[in-house]
Amino acid sequence: MHTKKWNRLPKVLIYSLPLIFVAGCTSDTVSSQEKEIIRVGHNQSQNHPTHIGMKAFEEHVESQLGDKYDIQLYPSELLGTQTNMVQLTQTGAVEITVASNSILETFNDKFEIFNLPYLFESQEAYRAVMNDPEIVDPIFTGTEESGFVTVAWLDAGIRNFYVTDKEIEEPADLAGLKIRVQQSPTNVRMMELLGGSATPMGFGDVYTAIQSGVIDGAENNELALTENGHGDVVSYYSYTQHQMIPDEVIVNTAFIDELSTGDREVFEQGFELMQTTQHQAWKEKVEEAKEYAQNEMNVAFNYPEIAAFREAVLPLHDETLANNPSLKTVYNQIQEKSEEIRNQAEGGSEE
């Protein structure tokens, strides 16, 4: 419904919205009217790995094509919420946006596959799948009719449980606990199978909800402890490793299709650099966050055996495939890739 609403706006108004919202807040001032402004929006702070990746993209494109394009970065939801930014990217008012996987599910239900708990056996399998064009390209390009395609995937870490009063060593430890989850049926069902009580809510409400006792904890990556202060209101972070869900970088289809062959090559190089830079920065930031949370926030980290957690949620795999048979092909591809990575690891350990 929102898409139709945006499409009814006069085109000149649509394209002026970002300038109205963030006048004076852009990364650079346009030096020449001949330059084409490329707006890039995301919801993270300027010290977040996502922004670090975006800066690498900006510097690469402008170093090659700075006489033609002015890349302007808008962090911290300056262009609106992620949902708003996706809608603006559909219309072309914003050229590039970072979107959560759950938002993209509404445009192509095959993105739902990445939300399954314990879909990937290891980080190595996760990265191998996400970097395999044969597996991900049909999903990434499946939103073309909606006005955008995915051009890169960003590391959003491994999701684990963190609570106020005890370590989570087995699923039974979640019994009776109210845990914030993302607002999706998959995550609610996951908590049901694990024995906890799912409490869907917006991420911005989590800190206050834990602090006031409305919920007992949440599940997210390590940066939530430090970047968002959740380490101030919880005491235990348990590595259940139940989900590895990417963020996606989407680009307006008309914009990228209208680039010349040479310009598009530079942009594609920039997208690749953005991705690799963000992944490296993520790895470094996670280590920094763990150290700070332990030493400055007194959060205790524990590493439970995950076999029982994995077994508890496997029925969700069968349920999801039964409800959406179109996911079976990509699901099987992921399982085959995971087996391939496992065999390689086992073979390497025997040498």
Side-chain angles (χ1 to χ4, degrees), residues 102-151:
S102 59
I103 292 175
L104 297 188
E105 284 182 35
T106 64
F107 296 94
N108 178 1
D109 60 8
K110 286 187 172 62
F111 279 98
E112 181 183 0
I113 193 71
F114 300 132
N115 209 33
L116 281 179
Y118 296 109
L119 175 65
F120 304 104
E121 291 187 4
S122 64
Q123 290 188 63
E124 292 74 20
Y126 170 53
R127 293 182 180 280
V129 166
M130 297 306 302
N131 289 324
D132 188 333
E134 183 178 347
I135 297 176
V136 299
D137 278 4
I139 301 174
F140 287 175
T141 60
T143 56
E144 191 168 7
E145 291 185 358
S146 297
F148 62 85
V149 293
T150 295
V151 293

Side-chain angles (χ1 to χ4, degrees), residues 30-264:
V30 180
S31 58
S32 170
Q33 291 183 348
E34 295 178 358
K35 291 187 179 182
E36 181 177 353
I37 297 174
I38 309 301
R39 301 172 184 85
V40 183
H42 65 86
N43 68 343
Q44 303 292 352
S45 68
Q46 294 188 50
N47 66 341
H48 192 275
T50 291
H51 192 76
I52 294 172
M54 293 298 180
K55 285 294 293 182
F57 167 77
E58 175 188 30
E59 291 167 4
H60 174 77
V61 173
E62 291 190 346
S63 71
Q64 303 293 315
L65 302 170
D67 59 329
K68 298 173 65 175
Y69 300 101
D70 177 20
I71 309 297
Q72 298 186 355
L73 306 183
Y74 298 88
S76 304
E77 294 191 339
L78 286 173
L79 296 179
T81 65
Q82 279 197 344
T83 299
N84 291 337
M85 286 188 284
V86 170
Q87 293 169 346
L88 289 169
T89 304
Q90 283 186 275
T91 66
V94 172
E95 285 75 21
I96 303 167
T97 290
V98 178
S100 70
N101 194 77
S102 59
I103 292 175
L104 297 188
E105 284 182 35
T106 64
F107 296 94
N108 178 1
D109 60 8
K110 286 187 172 62
F111 279 98
E112 181 183 0
I113 193 71
F114 300 132
N115 209 33
L116 281 179
Y118 296 109
L119 175 65
F120 304 104
E121 291 187 4
S122 64
Q123 290 188 63
E124 292 74 20
Y126 170 53
R127 293 182 180 280
V129 166
M130 297 306 302
N131 289 324
D132 188 333
E134 183 178 347
I135 297 176
V136 299
D137 278 4
I139 301 174
F140 287 175
T141 60
T143 56
E144 191 168 7
E145 291 185 358
S146 297
F148 62 85
V149 293
T150 295
V151 293
W153 68 275
L154 303 183
D155 199 336
I158 303 173
R159 300 184 76 89
N160 306 286
F161 291 107
Y162 51 94
V163 299
T164 56
D165 63 351
K166 64 178 179 180
E167 297 178 342
I168 305 300
E169 287 287 351
E170 56 185 4
D173 292 330
L174 290 164
L177 297 185
K178 298 184 292 296
I179 303 295
R180 180 266 176 177
V181 297
Q182 293 174 295
Q183 296 164 304
S184 83
T186 299
N187 290 317
V188 172
R189 178 61 174 150
M190 175 185 73
M191 285 307 306
E192 179 182 333
L193 290 169
L194 289 172
S197 177
T199 306
M201 67 172 62
F203 184 65
D205 298 324
V206 174
Y207 182 98
T208 302
I210 296 175
Q211 186 181 46
S212 62
V214 172
I215 58 176
D216 299 296
E219 49 86 43
N220 212 316
N221 58 62
E222 299 91 337
L223 269 62
L225 299 175
T226 54
E227 292 286 317
N228 305 98
H230 295 181
D232 290 329
V233 291
V234 301
S235 299
Y236 300 95
Y237 189 94
S238 303
Y239 276 95
T240 51
Q241 304 178 61
H242 51 270
Q243 283 173 314
M244 302 176 196
I245 308 175
D247 284 336
E248 284 88 10
V249 180
I250 64 172
V251 60
N252 175 262
T253 306
F255 162 71
I256 196 168
D257 286 348
E258 290 170 4
L259 290 173
S260 68
T261 301
D263 289 2
R264 180 159 184 164

